[in-house]
Amino acid sequence: MTKSEQKQYFLADNLKAILVSLISVVAVTLLLGAVTFLFVREQEENRASEILNNVRAVFRDAEITLDYLNALPYESCGKDNLAEMRKTLFRSRFVKEIGFYQDDSLVCSTYLGILEEPLATDEPDFYTKLDDAFWINTPLQLFDKQATGTIVKRGRYNAVLDMDSILGYSYIQDWQLFYNGDQFYHMAGNPVLVDSTLSQQDMDARTGYFSLQFILCDERYTSTCLQVKSDHGRVLDLHLGKLVLFVFVMLMTAALTHMITFNYLRRRRSLESRVSKGLREHKFYSLYQPFVDLQSGKVIGCEVLSRFKDEFGPIYPDEFIPQIKEQDMTWEFTVDMITKAMNDLNDNPDIPEGFKVSFNLFPFDFTRDSCLNLDFVLDMNIKNFKLVLEITEDEQIATQSAAKHIKSLKSKGFLFAIDDFGVGYSNLGQLKTLNCDYLKIDRSFVMDMEENSIRSSLIPHIVSIADGLDVELIAEGVENLEQLNELKGLKIGFGQGWLFGKPQSVNALAKTVQETL
């Protein structure tokens, strides 16, 4: 991969990582936003429920107080009645004053005592379903009508309720307590949030699930309701710490997703990852380089060469072979390569029977028993190809186990070739032990023939060694007619190189074979 390509891929990976981080931030923002909103909404509902619970406590206290007094037998406001009213006031939590009525007029109270003149009262603001009369924010006689309070009357008694202690006072009144029975009446809070009688449908419409505006009604006093329209400034101040944490999480999400995605993309493009994926997904493919009988010029066989290419471009053998060794996938790679090549060659009708097919194997595989498991190749050999296993000169094939395995495979009909002969580890004694069928003269010897170098002068000695071992020679790297003529003069039987054909597809190989018949 060139530096220009690396730079382009780097920029592309960075842009993809930025896009993924943006999508992740949006997704996390929506998720955390929804969770945060539900949390805030729950807190606002709890706040509203607390207000309603406090109102219920006041009403319930008044209800118990008035029921107790109305159960007493008093028909007039005497000393005993007044004393009982004062005892009951003392026991009550939220009732501030109790009055007694006779003929719809107030005749005495716990603080004023027995009045000289009974006081007529105004019409109540509303009646509840229990027929209780309510006066909201009405002037109190106790304070010469200079103060107001909420009064409830049941039967012969009324009670002044301590609403301020449970509702409190706030500069931000983002709620309204109201009565919504036969008529609508504002009780406390912001008087402009609700301005008319609401039907159940209207109340449901004002209670949006993804909104901080909602209506709650008391479970016991169902006509007493609370409209909430949360003040955004108050909510923001209350949850400012969560907002800061929210922003921090967004920044961390963006940074982490960018880093993880970018590293993943870079790793995905790495040599190790590409080779590993190629092995798992069987993306290696085969090309075929012809073997030629130098005397007749006919193509009598081929060497199977593995190649690799993915969406990022090709990886060449000198790069992927070390990776395959490092990942200890040599045998899996060999089986995959042989299987694909045998299928290709069998399926092409122009590849003749008895064709010589040569496979490169890793020397290390000959030191373990798994290399003996090549019977599947014999089962696939429906055209009776001459199957040649090539191994590079290496100290690993000098082991006793490697020699035993090679002997076993030869007994099954496989032929053996020593690849790159002359530059590796083999010696004459080892060649006799291996009992190979072919020696492949390394291309460096052939390329130096035109210069009459010391290296090229060794070829006659290699020919002599081959004659002594009764093996055939294959010259690699034949690229021109001058080299061909010299090799023919040295009585070397076979050649391989660009002069006869580059590594090619099976169809191109078949065409080359047919042209030399």
Side-chain angles (χ1 to χ4, degrees):
M1 191 181 296
T2 65
K3 289 186 177 181
S4 176
E5 289 175 332
Q6 290 178 346
K7 185 176 181 180
Q8 289 178 356
Y9 283 131
F10 179 87
L11 292 174
D13 290 344
N14 195 34
L15 289 174
K16 289 178 182 177
I18 291 173
L19 178 61
V20 171
S21 65
L22 288 175
I23 293 174
S24 299
V25 166
V26 170
V28 172
T29 299
L30 292 175
L31 178 61
L32 290 183
V35 172
T36 303
F37 174 81
L38 293 176
F39 176 78
V40 172
R41 164 86 180 212
E42 183 180 11
Q43 282 199 326
E44 292 298 293
E45 288 180 345
N46 290 339
R47 169 176 170 255
S49 296
E50 184 178 356
I51 294 174
L52 279 177
N53 289 338
N54 290 337
V55 172
R56 182 198 306 164
V58 174
F59 287 177
R60 182 62 179 154
D61 186 48
E63 186 179 351
I64 293 172
T65 298
L66 294 176
D67 283 346
Y68 171 77
L69 292 171
N70 279 302
L72 298 176
Y74 302 112
E75 297 293 336
S76 62
C77 191
K79 289 184 179 180
D80 291 341
N81 187 6
L82 196 58
E84 193 64 40
M85 289 166 57
R86 286 169 177 162
K87 290 178 184 178
T88 304
L89 178 64
F90 181 78
R91 290 193 299 266
S92 175
R93 290 182 58 196
F94 301 109
V95 176
K96 297 191 293 185
E97 167 75 316
I98 298 175
F100 179 79
Y101 282 79
Q102 198 169 17
D103 297 329
D104 293 329
S105 295
L106 182 68
V107 295
C108 69
S109 75
T110 51
Y111 283 104
L112 294 176
I114 300 174
L115 302 178
E116 295 179 1
E117 293 289 337
L119 295 176
T121 57
D122 298 330
E123 281 293 317
D125 294 320
F126 60 86
Y127 286 92
T128 68
K129 294 178 180 179
L130 299 175
D131 204 31
D132 295 329
F134 265 86
W135 290 264
I136 304 299
N137 297 322
T138 190
L140 299 176
Q141 190 69 32
L142 177 63
F143 299 102
D144 296 326
K145 297 186 177 183
Q146 299 301 309
T148 61
T150 297
I151 302 174
V152 57
K153 177 178 177 291
R154 174 178 287 189
R156 299 187 302 274
Y157 296 88
N158 75 357
V160 179
L161 306 181
D162 183 13
M163 300 292 289
D164 290 340
S165 66
I166 54 98
L167 293 177
Y169 178 77
S170 173
Y171 289 103
I172 302 174
Q173 287 191 328
D174 53 359
W175 54 268
Q176 179 181 5
L177 183 68
F178 62 92
Y179 179 79
N180 191 46
D182 295 334
Q183 64 186 95
F184 173 87
Y185 201 88
H186 166 75
M187 298 178 69
N190 190 336
V192 300
L193 294 184
V194 183
D195 54 9
S196 62
T197 303
L198 296 175
S199 66
Q200 187 61 46
Q201 184 177 359
D202 293 334
M203 294 175 70
D204 292 340
R206 290 186 177 221
T207 307
Y209 192 76
F210 289 100
S211 170
L212 293 180
Q213 177 175 341
F214 53 89
I215 293 177
L216 291 180
C217 295
D218 189 76
E219 294 178 358
R220 181 177 179 85
Y221 305 103
T222 55
S223 296
T224 303
C225 301
L226 191 74
Q227 161 81 44
V228 176
K229 190 175 182 180
S230 300
D231 181 79
H232 292 168
R234 178 186 62 80
V235 173
L236 182 62
D237 289 342
L238 186 63
H239 301 283
L240 185 59
K242 297 181 185 66
L243 181 61
V244 173
L245 180 61
F246 191 92
V247 173
F248 176 75
V249 170
M250 293 303 98
L251 294 175
M252 289 299 297
T253 299
L256 286 174
T257 52
H258 182 277
M259 180 183 68
I260 292 171
T261 304
F262 183 76
N263 288 339
Y264 166 75
L265 292 173
R266 296 297 290 171
R267 174 173 171 75
R268 181 168 168 261
R269 212 183 301 281
S270 70
L271 181 63
E272 178 184 359
S273 177
R274 291 169 67 189
V275 171
S276 178
K277 182 179 179 182
L279 288 169
R280 291 194 312 270
E281 299 181 1
H282 307 286
K283 288 190 173 181
F284 285 85
Y285 64 96
S286 297
L287 293 180
Y288 307 89
Q289 188 166 28
F291 284 155
V292 174
D293 185 318
L294 296 183
Q295 301 303 322
S296 66
K298 292 182 179 181
V299 176
I300 49 87
C302 68
E303 179 181 359
V304 179
L305 303 172
S306 289
R307 296 292 184 264
F308 179 83
K309 186 176 183 180
D310 59 11
E311 63 269 29
F312 306 121
I315 301 178
Y316 298 103
D318 59 343
E319 296 175 301
F320 68 68
I321 292 297
Q323 274 297 319
I324 292 172
K325 290 180 180 178
E326 186 174 329
Q327 296 181 30
D328 194 25
M329 294 288 286
T330 54
W331 185 246
E332 292 80 1
F333 170 79
T334 297
V335 171
D336 190 47
M337 174 192 69
I338 293 176
T339 301
K340 287 182 178 179
M342 292 297 291
N343 286 331
D344 285 348
L345 296 169
N346 281 326
D347 292 343
N348 194 299
D350 292 328
I351 300 297
E353 292 195 14
F355 203 61
K356 195 186 304 294
V357 181
S358 183
F359 300 102
N360 287 283
L361 271 67
F362 292 89
F364 174 71
D365 285 336
F366 285 93
T367 65
R368 45 189 183 180
D369 293 337
S370 58
C371 78
L372 293 176
N373 188 22
L374 284 176
D375 291 348
F376 76 95
V377 188
L378 301 176
D379 295 336
M380 295 180 70
N381 192 18
I382 59 178
K383 288 189 176 182
N384 296 316
F385 295 137
K386 295 178 181 178
L387 302 175
V388 182
L389 305 180
E390 293 188 19
I391 46 178
T392 306
E393 294 179 280
D394 189 284
E395 67 273 12
Q396 290 168 335
I397 64 170
T399 63
Q400 185 176 358
S401 60
K404 180 184 70 174
H405 292 154
I406 291 173
K407 183 178 180 181
S408 175
L409 288 169
K410 284 182 67 66
S411 68
K412 295 181 180 182
F414 289 98
L415 303 176
F416 274 83
I418 300 296
D419 197 14
D420 301 331
F421 181 73
V423 296
Y425 183 83
S426 295
N427 55 46
L428 189 58
Q430 181 180 330
L431 290 177
K432 290 180 179 179
T433 301
L434 295 176
N435 191 23
C436 61
D437 302 282
Y438 299 95
L439 294 180
K440 298 188 73 174
I441 303 173
D442 185 70
R443 67 184 66 248
S444 60
F445 290 92
V446 177
M447 291 175 66
D448 288 348
M449 290 178 66
E450 300 171 44
E451 301 176 4
N452 294 317
S453 66
I454 295 176
R455 180 183 290 270
S456 65
S457 66
L458 295 176
I459 294 179
H461 297 286
I462 295 175
V463 173
S464 179
I465 291 172
D467 289 340
L469 295 173
D470 194 23
V471 299
E472 297 190 76
L473 288 173
I474 304 172
E476 295 183 295
V478 183
E479 297 184 357
N480 55 55
L481 290 175
E482 184 175 350
Q483 294 171 345
L484 172 62
N485 291 330
E486 289 198 41
L487 292 170
K488 288 169 67 175
L490 292 170
K491 306 299 182 182
I492 294 176
F494 305 101
Q496 176 184 351
W498 283 15
L499 177 63
F500 312 116
K502 298 180 180 180
Q504 54 201 258
S505 68
V506 68
N507 291 333
L509 174 66
K511 184 178 179 181
T512 303
V513 171
Q514 295 302 314
E515 289 175 350
T516 62
L517 291 179

